Amino acid sequence: MRAARTTDIAISSTPNMLPWPAFTLLADANTAASVSYTATATASATPNTMGAWQEIIAATSADAYGIVMWLTGAISQNGQYRGVMVSVGLGAASGEAVKIERITLSGNSFSDNPIFFPLWIPKGSRIALQLQSTTASQTATFAMHLVAADRRLPRPPSDLHYVEGAEAPTSGGTLLTAPGSVNTKSAWTMLNTLGRPVVALIPILTNGSAQQNTADILFDVGIGPNSSSVTVVIADVEAVSAGNEAVNPRSRFPYAVDIPRGATVWGRYAASNLTLSGDKLHLQVIGVPA
Amino acid sequence: MKLLYRTSDGVLVSVGTVIADPLPAGLSVHDASPVEDAGLRTGAKQWDPATRTVIDTPGWVDPTLSETNRVTLEDQIRQAMASLQQIIDAPQVTLSTPTFSNIAQAQTAMRTLATETQADLRRLGLAVQTEARNLRRLIRLVANDLSDTT
């Protein structure tokens, strides 16, 4: 048996590092009630206007690499469309800085499908939410987890996550062109042109009407200079319209892309139920900057 | 919980426990009481910019109180009221009621104890008398011995 060499010892003492990002939930929870941190935000009494900031976490317990966030209950009644947007900000009261602006919601979407937002949040940060809606003084309750990651991984951005396709005046996303036949993708609808390069996109598909239909949906996100030259960057994300006015994408996490500044973002979808074509589907994408 | 509002028109700006220090110009703070805080969290109360106070939300109904729960609670309250009314209206209690049956049993027990105590005392008295007789006999014997000696 040969003698151990210095390099052997060095290698064996190096901690293993996962080859892929793995996340750990931080212990930020309301243990007195056995729930995650929750907060109810209230939209302004003026429709389509952001209401007051509502604190959800007063001070985070450790550095966080992102948040997992979801709606804890329905925000509309069957047969009623309510456009709702929520922004996430950091900072003391009256000094909040928006970090994720105008995430669109509809019906009880969000509730069973949490969204993960990579975002660098230093320890001790106050996190607050701000809500706007087509309905005056609409309320919505959210829950939130913080996630950490291996510290050897690069930090996510702490800058603003900006949203393409959010239509603030209507508290919804961009209306997508309806398909002409079942299970056939529609024509591309333009969302916006990117103002900065992004390394990931988080697509948010929501219902834009009070229609209640049951349909399976697949939607795409693409980039291109015009509707005839669109390259798909996120393909066939499944969503479900389950007989109420909610539309729930099955997966909501950042999709890795490499899109330069100035690229135009497009969206399209196919549905198993043509009735849905008479409804309105809204799409927005949240860009994660490099 | 602190509520930050614009001093000029009372519009709510931010709600939370951590506020900027110093406050930006034009903002004021309302410290919510525990009752107000609880109401704001459930929606039972809301901020009123006109009065710069926390008021009851008009027409608010507790969503956690289902119709079934409401009916059940009302029934329970009615039953409790009926029971209290029965007690108030009840006639004089008789020896047949459980309460007085227990008292009667207690009385019997006390009487028995007293009787037994009496017997014990009698036996004690007899024992004392016996001892007294024995003591007197002893004294006479001692006295006789002393007189014989002299």
Side-chain angles (χ1 to χ4, degrees):
Chain A
M1 187 174 78
R2 64 172 174 81
R5 289 176 285 188
T6 306
T7 52
D8 290 343
I9 296 173
I11 291 171
S12 64
S13 63
T14 301
N16 288 329
M17 180 174 170
L18 288 174
W20 63 85
F23 296 95
T24 306
L25 288 179
L26 294 178
D28 271 313
N30 183 0
T31 54
S34 301
V35 294
S36 305
Y37 277 117
T38 59
T40 300
T42 304
S44 169
T46 303
N48 303 311
T49 305
M50 281 291 182
W53 285 100
Q54 175 63 52
E55 177 180 292
I56 184 167
I57 297 178
T60 55
S61 61
D63 294 338
Y65 278 65
I67 59 174
V68 177
M69 188 171 140
W70 62 95
L71 190 66
T72 64
I75 56 172
S76 63
Q77 298 174 352
N78 287 341
Q80 296 182 19
Y81 167 70
R82 300 190 184 192
V84 181
M85 289 177 162
V86 61
S87 293
V88 180
L90 300 185
S94 82
E96 294 91 348
V98 175
K99 295 300 180 183
I100 309 173
E101 185 176 17
R102 290 194 166 88
I103 308 161
T104 57
L105 313 168
S106 72
N108 61 350
S109 69
F110 228 68
S111 59
D112 294 327
N113 296 287
I115 300 185
F116 167 62
F117 298 98
L119 184 68
W120 173 249
I121 303 174
K123 175 182 176 180
S125 295
R126 172 180 178 268
I127 306 177
L129 305 175
Q130 201 178 25
L131 196 75
Q132 74 170 67
S133 174
T134 51
T135 301
S137 304
Q138 172 72 50
T139 62
T141 302
F142 298 89
M144 185 180 287
H145 268 310
L146 298 177
V147 295
D150 191 317
R151 288 187 169 275
R152 289 163 292 188
L153 290 172
R155 285 183 184 178
S158 58
D159 294 337
L160 181 68
H161 279 57
Y162 65 106
V163 179
E164 300 302 335
E167 303 290 336
T170 57
S171 298
T174 297
L175 175 64
L176 294 180
T177 301
S181 55
V182 293
N183 303 321
T184 304
K185 291 283 174 65
S186 65
W188 289 104
T189 302
M190 187 178 78
L191 268 60
N192 211 342
T193 300
L194 295 177
R196 55 196 294 184
V198 296
V199 296
L201 291 175
I202 306 172
I204 310 284
L205 188 74
T206 56
N207 193 351
S209 71
Q211 292 294 328
Q212 304 170 48
N213 293 297
T214 301
D216 294 313
I217 302 163
L218 291 177
F219 68 94
D220 300 333
V221 179
I223 57 171
N226 55 64
S227 60
S228 302
S229 306
V230 178
T231 301
V232 177
V233 295
I234 303 174
D236 293 330
V237 182
E238 184 182 341
V240 168
S241 179
N244 53 28
E245 72 284 358
V247 170
N248 290 318
R250 290 305 197 189
S251 56
R252 299 175 189 252
F253 51 80
Y255 292 86
V257 296
D258 185 11
I259 307 178
R261 172 186 174 183
T264 301
V265 182
W266 304 76
R268 67 178 182 180
Y269 76 98
S272 63
N273 184 348
L274 262 184
T275 307
L276 195 64
S277 65
D279 306 333
K280 302 175 183 178
L281 287 185
H282 286 167
L283 179 65
Q284 64 167 184
V285 289
I286 298 175
V288 181
Chain B
M1 189 69 68
K2 300 181 188 297
L3 284 75
L4 268 65
Y5 61 93
R6 283 203 298 256
T7 310
S8 58
D9 56 7
V11 170
L12 195 62
V13 171
S14 188
V15 178
T17 57
V18 181
I19 62 174
D21 184 18
L23 276 180
L27 294 181
S28 300
V29 179
H30 171 82
D31 270 316
S33 68
V35 171
E36 291 175 343
D37 185 19
L40 287 168
R41 292 177 190 277
T42 62
K45 293 187 182 293
Q46 64 183 27
W47 175 254
D48 179 26
T51 59
R52 274 76 159 166
T53 59
V54 176
I55 62 173
D56 291 336
T57 302
W60 184 81
V61 176
D62 186 350
T64 63
L65 192 62
S66 67
E67 182 63 20
T68 304
N69 286 347
R70 185 189 64 78
V71 170
T72 302
L73 281 175
E74 285 186 357
D75 284 346
Q76 288 175 347
I77 291 171
R78 266 196 291 272
Q79 288 171 9
M81 293 280 291
S83 299
L84 286 171
Q85 194 63 44
Q86 284 179 357
I87 293 173
I88 292 169
D89 297 339
Q92 274 190 320
V93 292
T94 64
L95 290 174
S96 63
T97 61
T99 304
F100 275 88
S101 171
N102 289 339
I103 291 178
Q105 289 174 0
Q107 286 178 334
T108 301
M110 282 192 290
R111 206 171 289 121
T112 303
L113 181 60
T115 303
E116 291 175 354
T117 303
Q118 257 182 350
D120 287 340
L121 287 174
R122 199 172 296 117
R123 280 193 290 274
L124 182 60
L126 287 173
V128 168
Q129 286 177 353
T130 302
E131 288 303 312
R133 275 199 298 274
N134 292 338
L135 188 58
R136 280 197 293 272
R137 196 175 295 131
L138 182 61
I139 291 171
R140 279 198 295 274
L141 286 173
V142 170
N144 289 337
D145 284 343
L146 285 175
S147 66
D148 288 345
T149 302
T150 56

